[in-house]
């Protein structure tokens, strides 16, 4: 399979560890179900990025499943977090949203879906570690403006719709500062209850 995913590696790294381009995410170690859902979304156009849409346009489901399984089983070390360029107050705002949410604005904490260690949960909730602030910010923006959608109920579109630009900057900056835990693997399905329905994590 390594030879078959060579088209992915210039942007995502030989083992899916990511590259120096902050807008191409790490794939390694994410749940295979999550990666497969993203490949389907790019192929169908629910997630819009022309090079990925074109690359996947004619690939069949079993091929996409094999690609997802390949990167899910790769476990290169997580990168060291880069120093943040935002103020301590902004980081504190991001930490508050990520760990406690804002019930008054119907914003759940990131940890309520992505796990206390932010490592995600099988089979469809991704970890948020090893991603850089510009990428996280861009994805939250894509959900806010409908350029990225998921299976219904599209939980992230609901969450992102309640975020302001300042919220996005803050939470993206704080998440990008998180160090790798001792075990960065996604936890098993059912380890914790999600705060609401999520099309990426079918029951």
């Amino acid at each position: 399979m390594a030879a078959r995913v060579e088209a992915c590696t210039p942007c995502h790294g030989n083992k899916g560890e990511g590259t120096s381009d902050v807008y191409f995410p790490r794939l390694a170690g994410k749940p295979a179900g999550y990666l497969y859902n993203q490949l389907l979304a790019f192929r169908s156009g629910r997630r819009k990025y022309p090079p990925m849409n074109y690359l996947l346009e004619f690939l069949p489901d079993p091929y996409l499943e094999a690609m997802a399984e390949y990167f899910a089983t790769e476990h290169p070390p997580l990168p060291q977090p880069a120093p943040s360029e935002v103020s301590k107050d902004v980081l504190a705002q991001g930490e508050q949203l990520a760990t406690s949410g804002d019930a008054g604005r119907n914003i759940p904490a990131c940890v309520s879906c992505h796990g206390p260690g932010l490592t995600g949960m099988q089979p469809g909730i991704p970890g948020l570690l090893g991603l850089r602030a510009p990428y996280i910010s861009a994805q939250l923006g894509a959900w806010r403006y409908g350029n990225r959608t998921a299976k219904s109920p599209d939980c992230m579109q609901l969450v992102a719709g309640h975020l302001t630009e300042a919220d996005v900057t803050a939470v993206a900056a704080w998440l990008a500062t998180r160090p790798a835990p001792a075990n960065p693997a996604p936890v098993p399905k059912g380890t914790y209850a999600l705060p609401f329905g999520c099309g990426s994590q079918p029951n």
Side-chain angles (χ1 to χ4, degrees):
M1 195 64 201
R4 292 188 176 186
V5 299
E6 284 183 354
C8 310
T9 59
C11 296
H12 295 284
N14 290 333
K15 295 182 180 295
E17 71 274 25
T19 64
S20 59
D21 191 315
V22 299
Y23 289 103
F24 293 112
R26 175 187 179 91
L27 305 177
K30 286 187 164 50
Y34 167 76
L35 295 174
Y36 180 56
N37 285 341
Q38 301 318 300
L39 292 169
L40 291 176
F42 279 118
R43 190 181 66 183
S44 69
R46 282 191 287 107
R47 190 170 175 180
K48 295 175 175 53
Y49 181 61
M52 284 291 290
N53 302 136
Y54 174 77
L55 184 67
L56 301 175
E57 186 174 4
F58 299 108
L59 295 184
D61 289 0
Y63 197 111
L64 300 186
E65 285 183 305
M67 292 170 70
E69 291 286 348
Y70 175 83
F71 285 114
T73 57
E74 292 290 340
H75 298 287
L78 284 161
Q80 290 293 320
S84 181
E85 298 178 352
V86 303
S87 70
K88 290 182 179 180
D89 288 345
V90 172
L91 284 177
Q93 179 189 353
E95 180 177 10
Q96 175 71 23
L97 285 171
T99 61
S100 301
D102 186 336
R105 292 191 291 147
N106 293 319
I107 300 172
C110 300
V111 298
S112 65
C113 294
H114 295 276
L118 295 168
T119 58
M121 180 165 67
Q122 298 285 358
I125 306 294
L128 300 179
L129 302 172
L131 301 174
R132 287 162 284 193
Y135 175 77
I136 299 171
S137 178
Q139 298 314 302
L140 290 172
W143 269 301
R144 292 176 72 205
Y145 298 111
N147 292 325
R148 179 174 178 175
T149 59
K151 293 179 182 177
S152 179
D154 191 345
C155 49
M156 275 307 300
Q157 197 164 45
L158 292 172
V159 173
H162 294 297
L163 299 176
T164 66
E165 291 288 347
D167 293 333
V168 169
T169 298
V171 77
W174 186 78
L175 288 171
T177 66
R178 297 298 84 204
N183 180 9
V187 298
K189 179 181 179 181
T191 299
Y192 52 87
L194 298 175
F196 46 59
C198 176
S200 296
Q201 188 85 342
N203 294 315

